Amino acid sequence: MSTAHEFTKSIPTASINRQAAAALIEAALAAARDIGIEAAVAVTDASGNLRAFERTDGAPFLTVDVAIDKAWTASSFGFATHVWNDYVTGDPKVAPLAHRPRMVAVGGGYPILEAGKLIGGIGISGGNYQQDQDAAVAALRRLGFEVA
Protein backbone atom coordinates (compact mmCIF):
# COMPACT_ATOMS: atom_id res chain seq x y z
CA MET A 1 0.00 0.00 0.00
CA SER A 2 1.40 3.40 -0.96
CA THR A 3 1.18 6.53 1.07
CA ALA A 4 0.33 9.98 -0.24
CA HIS A 5 3.92 11.16 -0.28
CA GLU A 6 5.14 8.33 -2.56
CA PHE A 7 3.74 9.70 -5.82
CA THR A 8 4.09 12.87 -7.83
CA LYS A 9 1.35 15.38 -7.16
CA SER A 10 1.83 17.68 -10.12
CA ILE A 11 2.63 17.59 -13.80
CA PRO A 12 5.13 19.74 -15.64
CA THR A 13 3.47 22.07 -18.11
CA ALA A 14 4.86 24.24 -20.84
CA SER A 15 3.27 27.47 -21.96
CA ILE A 16 4.01 30.25 -24.39
CA ASN A 17 5.85 33.17 -22.83
CA ARG A 18 4.95 36.84 -23.15
CA GLN A 19 7.72 37.62 -25.63
CA ALA A 20 6.73 34.83 -28.02
CA ALA A 21 3.02 35.68 -27.69
CA ALA A 22 3.71 39.33 -28.56
CA ALA A 23 5.92 38.31 -31.50
CA LEU A 24 3.15 36.05 -32.82
CA ILE A 25 0.68 38.92 -32.62
CA GLU A 26 3.00 41.14 -34.66
CA ALA A 27 3.70 38.39 -37.21
CA ALA A 28 -0.03 37.70 -37.59
CA LEU A 29 -0.86 41.38 -38.03
CA ALA A 30 1.86 41.64 -40.70
CA ALA A 31 0.43 38.58 -42.48
CA ALA A 32 -3.09 40.03 -42.28
CA ARG A 33 -1.82 43.30 -43.81
CA ASP A 34 -0.13 41.34 -46.62
CA ILE A 35 -3.39 39.47 -47.28
CA GLY A 36 -5.32 42.74 -47.19
CA ILE A 37 -7.54 42.24 -44.16
CA GLU A 38 -8.20 44.09 -40.93
CA ALA A 39 -8.04 41.58 -38.11
CA ALA A 40 -8.09 40.75 -34.44
CA VAL A 41 -5.41 38.35 -33.21
CA ALA A 42 -5.42 36.46 -29.93
CA VAL A 43 -2.84 34.18 -28.35
CA THR A 44 -3.76 31.94 -25.44
CA ASP A 45 -1.52 29.92 -23.18
CA ALA A 46 -1.68 26.13 -22.99
CA SER A 47 -4.66 26.26 -20.63
CA GLY A 48 -6.68 28.52 -22.96
CA ASN A 49 -6.24 31.75 -21.01
CA LEU A 50 -5.60 34.91 -23.01
CA ARG A 51 -1.89 35.77 -23.15
CA ALA A 52 -1.80 38.51 -25.82
CA PHE A 53 -4.31 40.33 -28.02
CA GLU A 54 -4.46 43.08 -30.63
CA ARG A 55 -7.08 44.41 -33.04
CA THR A 56 -6.43 46.66 -35.99
CA ASP A 57 -8.35 49.92 -36.15
CA GLY A 58 -10.61 48.75 -38.99
CA ALA A 59 -11.48 45.30 -37.65
CA PRO A 60 -15.13 44.95 -36.61
CA PHE A 61 -15.75 44.54 -32.88
CA LEU A 62 -17.17 41.03 -33.37
CA THR A 63 -13.70 39.88 -34.41
CA VAL A 64 -12.49 40.35 -30.82
CA ASP A 65 -14.46 37.50 -29.26
CA VAL A 66 -14.15 35.31 -32.36
CA ALA A 67 -10.34 35.57 -32.38
CA ILE A 68 -10.10 34.86 -28.65
CA ASP A 69 -12.45 31.88 -28.93
CA LYS A 70 -10.57 30.50 -31.96
CA ALA A 71 -7.36 30.55 -29.93
CA TRP A 72 -9.16 28.93 -26.98
CA THR A 73 -10.67 26.23 -29.23
CA ALA A 74 -7.29 25.46 -30.81
CA SER A 75 -5.58 25.15 -27.45
CA SER A 76 -8.37 23.02 -25.96
CA PHE A 77 -7.51 19.82 -27.85
CA GLY A 78 -4.43 20.86 -29.80
CA PHE A 79 -5.76 20.97 -33.33
CA ALA A 80 -6.85 23.65 -35.76
CA THR A 81 -10.35 25.10 -35.62
CA HIS A 82 -11.20 24.20 -39.21
CA VAL A 83 -10.76 20.53 -38.25
CA TRP A 84 -13.56 20.94 -35.69
CA ASN A 85 -15.98 21.71 -38.52
CA ASP A 86 -15.62 18.17 -39.86
CA TYR A 87 -15.97 16.71 -36.38
CA VAL A 88 -19.11 18.57 -35.38
CA THR A 89 -20.87 18.08 -38.71
CA GLY A 90 -19.75 14.53 -39.51
CA ASP A 91 -20.05 12.65 -36.24
CA PRO A 92 -23.38 12.77 -34.37
CA LYS A 93 -21.60 11.76 -31.14
CA VAL A 94 -19.39 14.86 -31.35
CA ALA A 95 -21.93 17.27 -32.91
CA PRO A 96 -23.22 18.53 -29.52
CA LEU A 97 -19.81 20.15 -28.96
CA ALA A 98 -20.77 22.70 -31.60
CA HIS A 99 -23.13 24.19 -29.02
CA ARG A 100 -20.42 24.87 -26.44
CA PRO A 101 -20.36 28.63 -25.83
CA ARG A 102 -16.71 29.25 -26.82
CA MET A 103 -16.34 26.55 -29.50
CA VAL A 104 -15.44 27.94 -32.93
CA ALA A 105 -15.42 25.42 -35.77
CA VAL A 106 -14.21 27.66 -38.57
CA GLY A 107 -10.71 28.36 -39.89
CA GLY A 108 -8.29 30.76 -38.28
CA GLY A 109 -7.34 29.04 -35.04
CA TYR A 110 -4.25 26.88 -34.61
CA PRO A 111 -2.50 25.22 -31.71
CA ILE A 112 0.93 26.60 -30.91
CA LEU A 113 3.31 23.66 -30.81
CA GLU A 114 6.94 23.62 -29.77
CA ALA A 115 8.88 20.37 -30.05
CA GLY A 116 5.57 18.53 -30.35
CA LYS A 117 4.23 20.01 -27.13
CA LEU A 118 1.13 22.22 -26.96
CA ILE A 119 2.10 25.59 -25.49
CA GLY A 120 -0.88 27.71 -26.57
CA GLY A 121 -3.28 28.69 -29.32
CA ILE A 122 -3.56 31.48 -31.87
CA GLY A 123 -6.81 32.82 -33.29
CA ILE A 124 -7.32 35.30 -36.10
CA SER A 125 -10.60 36.86 -37.18
CA GLY A 126 -11.29 39.50 -39.78
CA GLY A 127 -11.18 37.88 -43.20
CA ASN A 128 -12.86 34.83 -44.58
CA TYR A 129 -11.90 31.49 -43.06
CA GLN A 130 -9.10 30.89 -45.60
CA GLN A 131 -7.58 34.35 -45.09
CA ASP A 132 -7.66 33.87 -41.31
CA GLN A 133 -6.04 30.43 -41.67
CA ASP A 134 -3.37 31.76 -44.03
CA ALA A 135 -2.47 34.59 -41.65
CA ALA A 136 -2.21 32.19 -38.70
CA VAL A 137 -0.02 29.74 -40.63
CA ALA A 138 2.24 32.55 -41.86
CA ALA A 139 2.70 33.86 -38.31
CA LEU A 140 3.45 30.43 -36.86
CA ARG A 141 5.95 29.62 -39.59
CA ARG A 142 7.63 33.01 -39.35
CA LEU A 143 8.43 32.30 -35.71
CA GLY A 144 9.46 28.70 -36.32
CA PHE A 145 6.47 27.00 -34.69
CA GLU A 146 5.08 23.73 -36.00
CA VAL A 147 1.88 23.89 -38.04
CA ALA A 148 -0.50 21.03 -37.38
Side-chain angles (χ1 to χ4, degrees), residues 61-122:
F61 68 85
L62 179 61
T63 62
V64 171
D65 288 339
V66 173
I68 293 169
D69 289 347
K70 283 181 181 183
W72 179 87
T73 301
S75 65
S76 69
F77 278 89
F79 47 82
T81 54
H82 66 276
V83 175
W84 276 107
N85 194 293
D86 292 337
Y87 290 148
V88 299
T89 59
D91 184 345
K93 293 178 183 171
V94 180
L97 289 175
H99 303 291
R100 297 290 306 153
R102 296 187 67 188
M103 177 67 69
V104 177
V106 67
Y110 280 86
I112 303 169
L113 303 168
E114 182 177 52
K117 189 165 187 114
L118 178 70
I119 64 167
I122 184 170

